[in-house]
Amino acid sequence: MPVLAIDAGTTGVTALVVGEQGDVLSRGYREFAQLFPRPGWVEHEPDDIWTATVAACREAMAGADERPTCIGITDQRETAVVWDRRTLHSPRPAIVWQDRRTTAICDRLRPDEERVSELTGLRLDPYFTGTKYAWLAEHEPQLWAGVRDGSLALGTVDSYVIARLTGGAAHVTDPSNASRTLLYDIGKGAWSDELCDLFDVPASALPEVVPSSGVVGTTDPDAFLGLSLPIAGIAGDQQAALFGQACYSPGMSKCTYGTGSFVLTNTGSTPVRSDAGLLTTVAWDLGAGLVYALEGAIFVTGAAVQWLRDGLGLIDSAAEIEGLARTVPDSGDVVFVPALTGMGAPHWDPHARGAIVGITRGTTRAHLARATLEAIAFEVRDVVDVMVTEAGLEVPELSADGGASANDLLLQLQADQLGVPVRRPKVTETTALGAAFLAGLGTGVWGSTDELAQTWALDRRFEPEEGRRDDGRHDRWRDALPRAGKWTS
């Protein structure tokens, strides 16, 4: 009984057909355009996301021997989408999670930050959806009038894709996505009227919050490839990856190396609060109550490699960076702070910008390549160190996934910096895998999380090299951080 998983990411849509053993039977992928209308602004056309979704699913199902029995959906979380409830088309582009246009709104609302954090577990930062809705309310009043009169719907990408799949019949999201909006009370497990008022968002425009696993709608054959399939799994991409990595017990941790990097630790039924830059978020709801996670969200990691490729032309493909970085023993004392869209956890500085320090006449592109991989490892170490020292969590090992987890040098650098093993599964597309697991769990393909855990298989384990954690490289990184901070202010 295969399951179709849709992963609507930041640069494209991946569709996987997943078998009962957790194996990937077939896949499809389609990119969609990234829009950068002004410096610091990032947008997507929702119709492009939908077109890519249909194409990726068609490709995946064409390569599978059996028709899937259900669908799971995961998405890029904080991106804000507006669409017409009747036509399902969007009157404006989606504002992507990377977008920083709402910095001034966040600064204006600083007096309310403590209360916002108390209710949501998040920080007042342009990263989150509620600030983007507040910007639309302030700058596009005609559009916002449509939101208020009920003709336009609000949601994150999961809600939008489900609306398209069901021909508009379902307007839903799950707690993992809702908890990323700044509009959801993670203690009560519901939209907050107080927060909706603060960000000027009509609660009537928001989707119904449903469990992460269980049937919430059925695809409309006229809208989706002639198929009528139950939609039975929903989760934000990082929570889906945590689920796909079989991190079902408190203390289990993973890092997804994608456009950004996201470290999540399962904290069970208790929300663990952080005063040092980490986020308290909902991991999932399997129908028996909320499960929470502590998260460190790093905005730019894989995107820094893309910048070396597309912006500087130092490499022709992202995969080349490992071979280039291995041609030098170290970065030559070059440090790269990849704050290309500000700094996320644990520093949280929307005014920060990228910096490369320590360049000499002897610096080569290989040193820059190695400095980029080291920066990713340093950023993740900063988050894990806070989890261990400030939140009191134990992280005995880290599960790695995402596109950049194929880079052996990166994962070895990561193990060295953390001082604990890093393990990579055979299936590294754990975001989509988690969506498939949630859907299959909700329709009986799998009977329990214990059964799902048996499908996890190790590809390689990276052991830390003695003495590398305290060799001074991380100290140089910490020296470089302030030089990138508060640049635009």
Side-chain angles (χ1 to χ4, degrees):
M1 295 191 291
V3 178
L4 176 64
I6 299 171
D7 178 3
T10 305
T11 57
V13 177
T14 300
L16 301 182
V17 177
V18 177
E20 292 182 56
Q21 302 305 312
D23 49 331
V24 177
L25 304 178
S26 63
R27 58 172 47 83
Y29 178 74
R30 286 295 186 279
E31 289 188 355
F32 51 79
Q34 313 295 297
L35 309 176
F36 307 98
R38 296 187 189 180
W41 290 26
V42 188
E43 296 182 340
H44 295 151
E45 285 290 352
D47 282 353
D48 290 348
I49 297 174
W50 173 241
T51 299
T53 298
V54 174
C57 289
R58 181 184 288 112
E59 181 181 358
M61 288 189 291
D65 294 332
E66 295 181 66
R67 170 175 155 169
T69 58
C70 59
I71 296 178
I73 295 167
T74 183
D75 67 303
Q76 54 178 281
R77 300 195 299 183
E78 299 82 4
T79 295
V81 191
V82 184
W83 67 93
D84 188 294
R85 292 181 186 268
R86 182 180 59 84
T87 68
L88 304 180
H89 293 291
S90 299
R92 69 153 352 268
I95 303 179
V96 178
W97 60 272
Q98 297 165 309
D99 191 285
R100 311 306 286 172
R101 78 184 67 182
T102 64
T103 298
I105 289 175
C106 293
D107 290 343
R108 192 170 69 225
L109 293 175
R110 288 294 165 213
D112 299 294
E113 183 163 28
E114 184 175 348
R115 178 59 173 164
V116 170
S117 181
E118 177 186 349
L119 293 174
T120 67
L122 307 177
R123 299 177 63 89
L124 199 53
D125 188 86
Y127 179 30
F128 302 109
T129 325
T131 70
K132 305 176 196 304
Y133 291 149
W135 188 91
L136 291 173
E138 184 175 321
H139 292 272
E140 299 184 13
Q142 186 172 354
L143 176 138
W144 212 243
V147 173
R148 291 195 176 283
D149 69 21
S151 60
L152 298 179
L154 299 178
T156 41
V157 171
D158 61 307
S159 302
Y160 170 73
V161 170
I162 292 171
R164 297 300 299 254
L165 286 168
T166 62
H171 184 36
V172 298
T173 191
D174 89 302
S176 71
N177 279 289
S179 70
R180 310 299 295 188
T181 62
L182 288 175
L183 304 172
Y184 183 80
D185 185 328
I186 63 170
K188 294 181 178 178
W191 297 121
S192 165
D193 291 337
E194 179 182 348
L195 293 170
C196 286
D197 288 343
L198 179 66
F199 291 99
D200 196 17
V201 176
S204 59
L206 296 172
E208 177 188 0
V209 182
V210 297
S212 308
S213 182
V215 177
V216 299
T218 303
T219 61
D220 180 351
D222 292 334
F224 183 65
L225 303 174
L227 298 173
S228 178
L229 297 174
I231 300 168
I234 315 170
D237 52 7
Q238 302 313 317
Q239 293 95 327
L242 189 70
F243 202 81
Q245 283 277 31
C247 294
Y248 305 138
S249 300
M252 298 186 75
S253 306
K254 71 88 195 174
C255 180
T256 298
Y257 297 86
T259 303
S261 287
F262 299 84
V263 184
L264 271 74
T265 296
N266 183 329
T267 64
S269 59
T270 303
V272 175
R273 302 286 180 164
S274 170
D275 294 322
L278 303 185
L279 306 175
T280 306
T281 195
V282 175
W284 50 72
D285 176 7
L286 302 183
L290 299 180
V291 173
Y292 297 91
L294 197 62
E295 174 175 332
I298 303 163
F299 296 153
V300 173
T301 53
V305 178
Q306 293 170 343
W307 177 68
L308 293 186
R309 180 193 66 193
D310 302 333
L312 299 186
L314 297 186
I315 51 178
D316 292 326
S317 69
E320 287 181 22
I321 191 171
E322 180 176 0
L324 179 60
R326 285 187 182 277
T327 63
V328 290
D330 54 50
S331 66
D333 208 28
V334 173
V335 177
F336 177 22
V337 181
L340 306 182
T341 57
M343 288 184 192
H347 311 291
W348 293 105
D349 182 359
H351 298 287
R353 291 297 179 265
I356 302 174
V357 297
I359 297 173
T360 69
R361 283 287 300 271
T363 299
T364 68
R365 66 190 190 103
H367 292 112
L368 291 178
R370 187 140 189 144
T372 301
L373 296 184
E374 288 183 349
I376 296 172
F378 294 150
E379 289 181 294
V380 172
R381 172 178 170 172
D382 286 349
V383 167
V384 174
D385 282 354
V386 170
M387 285 182 170
V388 172
T389 60
E390 188 262 348
L393 299 174
E394 291 187 12
V395 182
E397 64 181 7
L398 185 71
S399 297
D401 57 70
S405 68
N407 189 313
D408 289 354
L409 176 58
L410 171 61
L411 296 195
Q412 185 60 57
L413 290 170
Q414 192 68 81
D416 293 343
Q417 284 300 309
L418 296 179
V420 301
V422 174
R423 62 176 196 164
R424 180 174 63 204
K426 287 186 177 179
V427 178
T428 58
E429 294 170 295
T430 54
T431 301
L433 193 64
F437 284 174
L438 287 165
L441 193 64
T443 56
V445 176
W446 296 285
S448 67
T449 53
D450 288 341
E451 186 178 339
L452 284 172
Q454 298 303 310
T455 69
W456 194 95
L458 178 70
D459 172 55
R460 182 171 172 183
R461 184 180 177 91
F462 297 82
E463 298 288 346
E465 294 184 20
E466 188 174 352
R468 297 292 285 173
R469 175 175 167 84
D470 300 315
D471 63 3
R473 289 180 298 161
H474 186 257
D475 292 336
R476 295 294 280 164
W477 159 260
R478 299 290 292 184
D479 290 341
L481 286 176
R483 307 185 188 203
K486 303 189 186 305
W487 184 260
T488 62
S489 62

